[in-house]
Amino acid sequence: MSFVVAQSHFIFGVRTGVRNNLCFFDEQTVVFPSGNSCVCFNTVQRWQRFISGSERSQGMRAMTISSNRRYLAVSDYGERATVTVFDLQHEQGRKRKVLSAGDMSVQEFICIAFSPDSKYLIGLTGSPEWMLILWLWEKHKLLATLKTTNTNNPVTQVSFNPYNNTQLCVSGTGVFKLFRYSEGALKPSSVAKVESINFLCHTWMSEHRVIAGTDTGRLLVFESGDLRREISMTCKIKDANVNEGPSVPSITAILSYSKGFACSRGPGTVFLFVQTDENGYRKAREIKIPLDAYCSGVTLAEYQQIDTICISPAEETLAISTNRGQLYSVSLSSAELSSDDKLHFEFLSQSFHSSSITGLSICIRKPLVATCSLDRSVRIWNYETKVLELCKEFQEEAYSVALHPTGLFILVGFSDRLRLMNLLIDDIHTFKEFTVRSCRECAFSNGGHMFAAVNGNIIQIYSVTSFDNILNLKGHNGKVCRIEWSLDDSRVVSCGVDGAVYEWNTQSGKRESECVLKSCSYTGVAFSSDCKTILAVGTDLTLKEIQDCQVLREVPADETAHTALAVSHSGRVVFTGTSSGTVRAIKYPLPIQKEWMTYQAHSGPVTKMAITYDDQFLLTVSEDGCLLIWKIIDKEGRGLKINKHIVHTEEILITRSDLEEKTQHMLEMRMRLEELQMENEYQLRLKDMNYNEKLRELSDNFVQQIESLKTSQQAMKTDMEKQECENQQNSAELIMKHSKELKDLELSYSQKLIVEHEKYQDLQQKHQRMQEDYEKQLKFAEDRKIQAVEELTKMYEAKLQEKAELLAQCQEDTEQKISVFKAIIKQAEEDEERKILELQTNYEEKMKTEKQTNTNLKGKNSIMAQKFISLQKQIDDRSADINKLKQERQRLLGLIRSLESDIEDLKRQISGHEKTSQDKVTEIRVVISLNAQLKLTVSELKLKLKTRDKEMCKESQKVKDLETHLQRLKSDLHNCVGFIQEPKTLKNNIQMIYARYVQQTERVERTNADDTVQKALRHQCDRQERTVNGLKMRLVKSAEEHEKVYTKIMKENMTLIAEINELRKELHLARTQAKDVRAQVALLKKPKKSQPILEEALIPQHFLNVLLLRLSLLLPADVLFALLILLHAQSSLQLAFLHAQVLQLLLLLLILSHQLLVLLIHTNHMDTQINDQPHC
């Protein structure tokens, strides 16, 4: 039995994060990285050719194609980065050379480029070195290396000058440099000062001109490495200013072609620029990525960042790749012909997944594959035609997918619930939802009548016909990772993170067998082809075959773990996917040793695997977002034979509304077609008539031209005959002359040859003589040399003997000196040890005495420190008291000055306010009487409002009762809906509802009650309108009275302002008098006369009694008590005179301020009463 082999057939997906990840091989073929390979894709015939990557590679970083479109270079990153060169003209992309950085430790090459003649290859390493490495790649020779920058700024691109093999350009953040290869080294030729600019890409336009794009959307033109100008997006060229520029979308890709250049500007947009003259460029076209037709909601298609731009060799097609793994193209010929400024890209093949694929499923009756991804899309692929059949994007992430065996239904597990959907002709339509959150695994039975869904650690089995939950399979302690049905749907096998593999009976829901290994977390499980054994893979790096709760066989693995599993229906092979992205084919029955075939497949861990029911194709998906189709064949290249023949059906689902729309559209199109046929027939007849007339005219013209040409042809023939005769005569004469010249030349050259031969013989004789002389001289020189060598050897041998004797004497002297030196060292060491012991004893005694003194001093120091702290606190407290007293003295002097002026002002104000207060009291009495009347009306209205509120409460209670009756009626009607198919029970229920909720008496009572309520409401509304009109009239009257009062107050204020101005003048005079008083106080402060002054300054007792009586009438009790304490406290101070004056001023101030407050309270009370009248 021959071994089964898997061959890469087709792949859906593009690998992102690779520099220059799209290029043209010819007009119809593009090359792009996908999975762990480079793919050559023919866009017309839709075939793919795979160039597999290296086994030790950790991933691709960059790729490039040579200018002659023959060689492809790919850089791989790892511990030692390499660059592999492939020959694309070979059928399987033969590997030509593998280049490395030699002894340098380089982990990645972020950009690579071929020279114009394809002989040299340049590579740019990653951080932190940013080195340039140049190879003569055909000879595997490293020519030169150079560090591009001394800073940590990243360098993004390197490129060859297309017109010069030895010139390079490097650009990056704050870096734009030109290098030249000469004399075996790379040397900088020019360095631009662009420290503040971040260059993302550049392209060569001519031998000396480079255009570079920045992250701020600027296009900068460099001539011979110097910044000359900037191309603005408004189609004008302006002088470049490095430090200025608007913040616009970044330019991530740029490419030159014969007519100009193309560049990306922001997400999803490409501009085509055409060269107008030697220095000018004009924006010709704007091409955008269109909206995603498969997404109904918000889409990210038009916001994709463009990573790479490439143009076909004939410049017919422009293609781009994006950061979401999509490929687009547009025809440049159609872009030039179209009149619209804005064009749209089209998919190069079809849209791909842009994130990790989480689900994979196939069906029996159709060649369809369903996949779901974390990019929120569900896609249906046809693995025979290699076309995307259906695609739909959702608002939630899809975790699992399962196709019905008929291919007409699909089950998708989302983050919120599990949905069962119809696969229509052009849409995926949901028709049933299940409350299963974050379903990571689901599967239809082979018969299609049931499906299993994982809900955490429980497997729920539902019926497809009734949608009921038939069984709940409980037993796993962790998340269930994989489930699979047996061929007869009687059993289900499952595996989970808890290390358990369970086999369930779908009829009873019981476990038939189990195998638990807690140290292993299983990731894949499957039945064998005969469903007698179970195959499982997990984190313990082995493939296990389980039967009757025991492990029959184990296939050990290497360092990579198995992540997925698929068993062929013929039972000849088992395929496994690994965490490194490879696929392994293992014979079945399983071998004991490590025997398998490994295939390079994906760049990420394989998540799911499936084999079609006819064993023709293997399907694998991965975290890299790629779907890879493998062809299963034997080693002789033949497909596997299977007993069952599977017939694929072609029926599809369509909704009735869509069908009606399409039939209507077909009828309209037929009518339109008939009309167009009639018009075309009529126009064809008219054109036939016109063309017949034109044919007649042309035929007449051509007959005339033919006759004229015949006459001219005859004349030409006669001329030709004459010229032939003349040519024959001339040729005969020339032949005669040529023969004569040949004879003369032969004679002359024969004579010259004889002379030259004689010269040659003479020279040969001279050469022999010279040779003999030189041989004699050489012999003589050799003899002399031998004699000189013998003499020199004798001389140097004698000298050697003398030197040897001297050496022997010197050695004897050194030995004697060494012995003497050792004896001296021993004596010195003994003396030093004695001295050290003496010093040690002396210093130890001194240390003891010093420690005792130190402890005594520390005790004294602590006592002194405490005393110092206490004294310092006392000093600080006294100084603070002194400062406080000084501040109080200054403050009191200031108060005296300010209070004197305030007292005079307040006296004058009181005299004015007493007059106005009497008038306001009379007005307040009038307002109070009005207010009492209004209060009576308010009380009446409040009583009315209370009665109305009670009535409203009763009505609201009735409404609530009616709402509860309505809800009960709705629930009863909802229950009746379930008896639609049972007419008798439905009739009884409806009669019960009618008897319960519909009564004639209630209807009559309700109508009467409603009439009475409406009448009462109308009557109350009329009364309220009357009261409101009356209140409005009162409000107008009170407003007029308020205006009169306001005018009086304004007049009084004017008089008060005049009085204040007079008081200010008097204040000025009082201040001058205060100065005189201060001078007298200063004289009175002398110590001898202090006692009599104090006696004079004391306040008389009768004055204080009168003052307190007046204050008791005006001030509250607590204020009086505070003043008495203040008087008692101030009487004991030395500055009694000053404080007495302060007290007098304070008391006057309090009296005046109290009177002012009374007046203000009266006025405010009156204003509030006036304002409250309308509200009442």
Side-chain angles (χ1 to χ4, degrees):
M1 184 171 67
S2 61
F3 189 68
V4 178
V5 178
Q7 185 179 1
S8 300
H9 183 59
F10 205 85
I11 193 165
F12 297 99
V14 178
R15 184 169 180 175
T16 56
V18 180
R19 182 87 184 184
N20 299 325
N21 63 347
L22 182 65
C23 52
F24 274 95
F25 175 58
D26 55 32
E27 284 296 319
Q28 299 176 354
T29 309
V30 292
V31 183
F32 58 88
S34 183
N36 200 30
S37 305
C38 289
V39 180
C40 297
F41 174 58
N42 190 299
T43 56
V44 178
Q45 299 176 4
R46 297 191 63 78
W47 54 258
Q48 287 183 353
R49 181 160 59 92
F50 290 82
I51 303 169
S52 59
S54 60
E55 295 178 2
R56 296 179 182 177
S57 170
Q58 296 179 10
M60 298 182 198
R61 271 290 175 265
M63 59 180 279
T64 185
I65 195 167
S66 61
S67 56
N68 58 5
R69 311 282 174 177
R70 180 176 178 179
Y71 302 111
L72 177 74
V74 179
S75 73
D76 299 319
Y77 71 92
E79 292 181 0
R80 292 185 65 82
T82 58
V83 177
T84 309
V85 182
F86 298 96
D87 188 355
L88 292 177
Q89 291 184 357
H90 195 268
E91 288 183 0
Q92 295 180 354
R94 185 167 60 87
K95 191 184 289 186
R96 290 291 300 269
K97 295 289 180 185
V98 178
L99 309 173
S100 64
D103 297 333
M104 291 182 288
S105 61
V106 175
Q107 293 183 350
E108 61 177 352
F109 291 97
I110 60 170
C111 186
I112 51 176
F114 277 105
S115 62
D117 59 358
S118 306
K119 289 182 180 179
Y120 301 105
L121 183 70
I122 190 74
L124 175 65
T125 66
S127 61
E129 290 85 5
W130 311 108
M131 296 279 290
L132 285 177
I133 299 175
L134 182 66
W135 292 281
L136 184 64
W137 68 268
E138 288 183 342
K139 295 183 179 179
H140 204 284
K141 185 178 179 182
L142 195 150
L143 296 177
T145 59
L146 179 69
K147 192 172 182 180
T148 57
T149 178
N150 294 321
T151 61
N152 292 323
N153 293 334
V155 181
T156 54
Q157 187 181 353
V158 61
S159 65
F160 271 100
N161 186 340
Y163 307 97
N164 189 349
N165 270 351
T166 60
Q167 194 172 16
L168 299 165
C169 179
V170 173
S171 64
T173 304
V175 178
F176 189 89
K177 297 179 180 180
L178 296 181
F179 296 94
R180 190 177 293 277
Y181 177 69
S182 64
E183 297 176 359
L186 286 167
K187 299 176 182 178
S189 58
S190 68
V191 179
K193 293 181 179 179
V194 287
E195 289 81 5
S196 61
I197 302 176
N198 182 11
F199 293 101
L200 300 179
C201 55
H202 69 261
T203 186
W204 290 85
M205 298 302 297
S206 63
E207 189 175 356
H208 302 290
R209 183 179 299 165
V210 181
I211 295 178
T214 69
D215 61 342
T216 57
R218 302 170 68 190
L219 285 171
L220 303 178
V221 182
F222 291 84
E223 298 281 350
S224 300
D226 297 327
L227 180 60
R228 295 296 174 85
R229 55 190 172 275
E230 179 181 348
I231 301 172
S232 71
M233 295 301 171
T234 56
C235 310
K236 293 180 182 178
I237 298 174
K238 60 182 181 179
D239 294 334
N241 191 351
V242 173
N243 296 319
E244 295 181 1
S247 59
V248 293
S250 59
I251 297 169
T252 54
I254 188 169
L255 183 71
S256 62
Y257 66 108
S258 60
K259 295 180 181 179
F261 66 91
C263 70
S264 68
R265 184 175 183 269
T269 307
V270 172
F271 285 171
L272 292 179
F273 284 85
V274 178
Q275 188 169 5
T276 54
D277 51 20
E278 289 184 1
N279 298 322
Y281 296 93
R282 176 179 58 85
K283 189 181 81 171
R285 286 285 181 272
E286 182 180 348
I287 311 170
K288 286 199 168 188
I289 294 173
L291 295 170
D292 196 348
Y294 300 118
C295 183
S296 58
V298 179
T299 178
L300 297 172
E302 58 182 343
Y303 295 106
Q304 299 179 83
Q305 181 183 321
I306 296 166
D307 289 340
T308 306
I309 302 175
C310 64
I311 295 178
S312 61
E315 297 184 354
E316 290 290 329
T317 308
L318 183 138
I320 61 168
S321 67
T322 67
N323 62 338
R324 286 174 59 83
Q326 306 297 329
L327 301 178
Y328 297 93
S329 67
V330 68
S331 175
L332 289 178
S333 57
S334 64
E336 290 172 0
L337 292 170
S338 66
S339 59
D340 296 334
D341 287 339
K342 292 184 179 179
L343 294 173
H344 288 93
F345 285 101
E346 295 176 354
F347 281 111
L348 193 65
S349 57
Q350 56 262 324
S351 66
F352 304 127
H353 282 296
S354 59
S355 186
S356 174
I357 298 174
T358 55
L360 172 73
S361 180
I362 58 172
C363 62
I364 301 172
R365 294 299 174 194
K366 289 186 178 182
L368 299 180
V369 186
T371 57
C372 64
S373 172
L374 295 179
D375 62 1
R376 300 179 181 178
S377 69
V378 176
R379 297 171 192 264
I380 311 297
W381 316 83
N382 192 316
Y383 56 80
E384 285 187 350
T385 59
K386 295 168 280 191
V387 172
L388 177 65
E389 296 279 348
L390 275 176
C391 175
K392 190 168 184 179
E393 288 195 11
F394 297 90
Q395 295 298 321
E396 302 88 14
E397 291 180 348
Y399 297 125
S400 60
V401 70
L403 267 177
H404 194 267
T406 59
L408 300 175
F409 311 102
I410 190 169
L411 192 68
V412 184
F414 293 97
S415 57
D416 56 348
R417 60 190 62 213
L418 181 70
R419 294 189 178 101
L420 184 63
M421 297 183 274
N422 288 325
L423 292 179
L424 304 177
I425 187 170
D426 55 358
D427 193 12
I428 301 173
H429 182 66
T430 305
F431 75 96
K432 184 64 180 175
E433 293 183 346
F434 302 92
T435 57
V436 180
R437 290 181 176 274
S438 301
C439 179
R440 299 282 176 174
E441 190 67 28
C442 59
F444 276 102
S445 63
N446 292 310
H449 60 289
M450 292 185 291
F451 68 85
V454 174
N455 190 358
N457 57 358
I458 300 169
I459 302 167
Q460 296 179 344
I461 296 176
Y462 290 85
S463 172
V464 176
T465 54
S466 63
F467 307 122
D468 293 333
N469 186 2
I470 302 165
L471 288 173
N472 286 326
L473 307 179
K474 298 179 181 179
H476 284 282
N477 295 324
K479 288 184 179 180
V480 180
C481 293
R482 186 86 172 111
I483 54 173
E484 187 169 342
W485 293 80
S486 63
L487 291 173
D488 58 355
D489 295 336
S490 63
R491 291 175 293 161
V492 172
V493 66
S494 65
C495 68
V497 180
D498 56 353
V501 176
Y502 295 141
E503 188 178 0
W504 309 87
N505 191 320
T506 56
Q507 301 297 323
S508 62
K510 294 180 180 179
R511 278 184 283 187
E512 291 190 353
S513 67
E514 62 181 23
C515 180
V516 181
L517 184 64
K518 291 184 178 180
S519 62
C520 174
S521 177
Y522 287 104
T523 56
V525 69
F527 279 108
S528 61
S529 58
D530 56 0
C531 294
K532 292 180 180 179
T533 60
I534 299 166
L535 297 166
V537 293
T539 55
D540 62 347
L541 312 179
T542 59
L543 169 63
K544 297 180 180 65
E545 187 175 8
I546 303 166
Q547 186 178 12
D548 297 332
C549 304
Q550 291 182 353
V551 178
L552 288 179
R553 296 183 190 85
E554 280 191 7
V555 178
D558 49 9
E559 295 177 357
T560 56
H562 299 285
T563 56
L565 177 70
V567 182
S568 67
H569 298 280
S570 62
R572 292 174 59 185
V573 67
V574 177
F575 291 102
T576 62
T578 65
S579 58
S580 62
T582 58
V583 173
R584 291 172 178 172
I586 305 170
K587 283 183 182 180
Y588 191 80
L590 297 177
I592 298 168
Q593 298 177 353
K594 297 180 183 180
E595 291 182 8
W596 57 69
M597 293 186 72
T598 305
Y599 306 100
Q600 296 296 318
H602 296 278
S603 59
V606 178
T607 54
K608 300 286 181 183
M609 300 178 76
I611 296 174
T612 58
Y613 287 91
D614 56 359
D615 275 356
Q616 296 299 311
F617 297 102
L618 167 69
L619 309 167
T620 60
V621 293
S622 170
E623 289 182 6
D624 61 3
C626 295
L627 167 63
L628 182 54
I629 301 171
W630 304 77
K631 206 164 187 178
I632 301 173
I633 56 174
D634 56 14
K635 281 195 173 180
E636 295 174 359
R638 293 174 297 185
L640 297 183
K641 292 180 181 180
I642 193 165
N643 297 326
K644 295 178 182 179
H645 182 65
I646 294 168
V647 179
H648 290 152
T649 58
E650 294 183 356
E651 66 271 7
I652 54 169
L653 291 178
I654 188 167
T655 58
R656 184 170 289 178
S657 59
D658 291 341
L659 187 63
E660 288 173 356
E661 285 178 4
K662 287 184 178 179
T663 52
Q664 186 66 31
H665 186 65
M666 288 285 286
L667 288 169
E668 290 175 359
M669 293 300 287
R670 281 178 185 172
M671 295 290 289
R672 179 67 179 159
L673 199 147
E674 289 175 358
E675 290 175 1
L676 288 169
Q677 282 179 349
M678 294 291 288
E679 289 179 1
N680 285 331
E681 286 176 359
Y682 177 69
Q683 287 178 359
L684 282 168
R685 287 174 187 172
L686 290 173
K687 285 180 180 178
D688 287 337
M689 296 290 287
N690 292 325
Y691 285 132
N692 287 326
E693 289 178 358
K694 287 179 181 178
L695 278 169
R696 286 173 189 171
E697 292 176 359
L698 288 168
S699 62
D700 294 335
N701 290 327
F702 279 122
V703 169
Q704 291 175 2
Q705 287 177 4
I706 287 163
E707 289 177 354
S708 64
L709 287 168
K710 282 180 180 178
T711 54
S712 63
Q713 188 180 5
Q714 287 178 358
M716 290 287 283
K717 279 182 181 179
T718 54
D719 293 334
M720 284 285 287
E721 289 174 354
K722 288 179 182 178
Q723 285 180 359
E724 281 179 359
C725 293
E726 289 177 357
N727 286 328
Q728 286 177 359
Q729 290 175 1
N730 290 326
S731 62
E733 291 175 357
L734 287 168
I735 288 163
M736 291 294 288
K737 287 179 181 178
H738 185 65
S739 61
K740 287 179 182 178
E741 287 176 355
L742 274 172
K743 288 176 181 177
D744 296 336
L745 286 168
E746 283 176 356
L747 290 168
S748 63
Y749 278 113
S750 61
Q751 290 174 0
K752 286 179 182 178
L753 279 168
I754 291 161
V755 172
E756 292 294 329
H757 183 68
E758 289 175 353
K759 287 180 181 177
Y760 175 72
Q761 286 178 352
D762 294 337
L763 287 168
Q764 204 167 12
Q765 288 173 1
K766 286 180 182 178
H767 178 68
Q768 286 176 358
R769 289 172 192 166
M770 290 285 285
Q771 210 167 14
E772 289 173 357
D773 294 336
Y774 278 118
E775 285 175 356
K776 289 177 182 177
Q777 288 175 5
L778 282 167
K779 285 179 182 178
F780 181 70
E782 284 176 357
D783 294 336
R784 288 181 65 187
K785 185 180 177 182
I786 291 162
Q787 289 175 1
V789 167
E790 288 177 354
E791 291 173 356
L792 287 167
T793 51
K794 288 177 181 177
M795 286 278 290
Y796 283 112
E797 282 176 357
K799 287 180 181 180
L800 275 169
Q801 287 177 358
E802 291 176 359
K803 295 287 182 183
E805 291 174 356
L806 286 169
L807 260 172
Q809 289 177 0
C810 288
Q811 283 176 356
E812 289 175 358
D813 295 336
T814 51
E815 286 175 357
Q816 290 175 359
K817 287 177 181 178
I818 285 163
S819 61
V820 172
F821 183 69
K822 283 179 180 178
I824 293 163
I825 286 166
K826 283 181 181 178
Q827 289 177 358
E829 285 176 352
E830 289 173 356
D831 296 334
E832 284 175 356
E833 284 177 357
R834 288 172 188 169
K835 289 177 182 178
I836 287 162
L837 288 168
E838 290 174 358
L839 289 167
Q840 192 171 1
T841 52
N842 292 326
Y843 280 114
E844 282 176 355
E845 290 174 356
K846 286 180 181 178
M847 281 287 285
K848 285 177 183 178
T849 54
E850 284 177 358
K851 280 179 181 178
Q852 288 175 358
T853 54
N854 196 5
T855 51
N856 296 325
L857 288 169
K858 279 181 180 179
K860 291 177 182 178
N861 193 8
S862 60
I863 293 160
M864 291 297 289
Q866 289 175 359
K867 289 180 180 179
F868 179 76
I869 290 161
S870 62
L871 289 167
Q872 189 69 35
K873 284 180 180 178
Q874 290 175 4
I875 291 160
D876 292 334
D877 294 335
R878 287 178 184 177
S879 62
D881 294 334
I882 291 160
N883 290 323
K884 284 179 182 177
L885 290 167
K886 286 179 180 178
Q887 287 174 0
E888 282 182 1
R889 184 175 174 281
Q890 290 175 358
R891 184 171 58 79
L892 290 167
L893 287 169
L895 277 169
I896 290 163
R897 293 169 191 169
S898 60
L899 290 169
E900 285 174 354
S901 61
D902 291 335
I903 286 161
E904 292 174 357
D905 293 336
L906 289 167
K907 280 179 181 178
R908 285 166 188 168
Q909 286 178 7
I910 287 160
S911 62
H913 283 295
E914 281 175 354
K915 294 175 184 178
T916 56
S917 62
Q918 291 174 359
D919 298 331
K920 285 180 180 178
V921 166
T922 56
E923 290 174 359
I924 286 160
R925 286 172 183 170
V926 174
V927 170
I928 287 163
S929 63
L930 290 169
N931 199 2
Q933 293 175 2
L934 289 169
K935 280 179 181 178
L936 291 170
T937 55
V938 167
S939 62
E940 289 175 1
L941 289 169
K942 282 181 179 178
L943 289 168
K944 290 175 184 178
L945 280 169
K946 284 178 182 177
T947 55
R948 286 176 187 173
D949 288 334
K950 288 177 182 178
E951 290 173 359
M952 288 293 287
C953 289
K954 289 177 183 178
E955 291 297 323
S956 62
Q957 188 64 38
K958 288 177 183 178
V959 170
K960 287 178 181 177
D961 295 336
L962 287 169
E963 284 177 353
T964 54
H965 281 294
L966 255 175
Q967 287 178 355
R968 288 173 186 171
L969 195 142
K970 283 178 182 177
S971 64
D972 291 336
L973 285 170
H974 183 71
N975 293 328
C976 285
V977 171
F979 302 108
I980 287 170
Q981 296 180 357
E982 298 175 2
K984 288 182 180 180
T985 54
L986 193 139
K987 184 179 179 183
N988 293 326
N989 283 319
I990 288 167
Q991 286 176 354
M992 289 288 287
I993 290 164
Y994 186 78
R996 189 181 295 168
Y997 297 105
V998 182
Q999 293 178 1
Q1000 295 295 327
T1001 57
E1002 287 181 1
R1003 290 181 183 176
V1004 174
E1005 288 175 359
R1006 284 173 186 170
T1007 53
N1008 292 326
D1010 291 336
D1011 293 334
T1012 55
V1013 168
Q1014 286 178 358
K1015 286 178 183 178
L1017 282 168
R1018 287 171 188 167
H1019 182 66
Q1020 287 176 1
C1021 287
D1022 293 333
R1023 287 185 67 185
Q1024 283 182 356
E1025 285 177 358
R1026 288 171 192 165
T1027 55
V1028 166
N1029 291 323
L1031 288 167
K1032 283 181 180 178
M1033 294 294 289
R1034 289 178 183 176
L1035 195 147
V1036 171
K1037 289 178 181 178
S1038 64
E1040 289 174 357
E1041 290 174 356
H1042 183 69
E1043 284 179 357
K1044 289 176 182 178
V1045 171
Y1046 184 76
T1047 52
K1048 285 181 181 179
I1049 291 163
M1050 287 295 291
K1051 288 175 182 178
E1052 289 170 0
N1053 284 333
M1054 293 293 290
T1055 56
L1056 287 168
I1057 288 161
E1059 288 175 0
I1060 286 161
N1061 290 325
E1062 289 174 359
L1063 288 167
R1064 281 177 182 169
K1065 291 176 183 178
E1066 291 175 2
L1067 194 147
H1068 184 67
L1069 294 169
R1071 281 180 180 172
T1072 54
Q1073 290 173 3
K1075 286 180 183 178
D1076 298 331
V1077 170
R1078 283 175 197 163
Q1080 291 174 4
V1081 168
L1083 292 168
L1084 291 168
K1085 280 183 181 178
K1086 292 180 180 180
K1088 291 179 182 179
K1089 297 177 181 180
S1090 60
Q1091 290 179 355
I1093 288 164
L1094 286 168
E1095 288 173 359
E1096 289 174 3
L1098 289 171
I1099 299 164
Q1101 188 66 36
H1102 64 88
F1103 177 76
L1104 286 170
N1105 292 327
V1106 172
L1107 196 139
L1108 287 167
L1109 283 168
R1110 288 182 69 186
L1111 285 170
S1112 63
L1113 293 169
L1114 296 170
L1115 296 174
D1118 55 352
V1119 177
L1120 273 170
F1121 185 68
L1123 281 168
L1124 287 167
I1125 290 162
L1126 198 146
L1127 284 167
H1128 181 71
Q1130 294 292 339
S1131 62
S1132 61
L1133 293 171
Q1134 291 180 358
L1135 300 170
F1137 176 72
L1138 289 170
H1139 290 299
Q1141 285 184 348
V1142 170
L1143 280 168
Q1144 289 174 7
L1145 292 169
L1146 277 167
L1147 290 168
L1148 287 168
L1149 250 176
L1150 285 165
I1151 292 158
L1152 293 168
S1153 61
H1154 189 265
Q1155 289 177 359
L1156 274 171
L1157 281 167
V1158 169
L1159 289 169
L1160 287 168
I1161 287 160
H1162 282 298
T1163 54
N1164 286 326
H1165 183 66
M1166 188 181 73
D1167 291 335
T1168 51
Q1169 284 180 347
I1170 291 162
N1171 290 324
D1172 289 341
Q1173 281 179 7
H1175 297 295
C1176 295

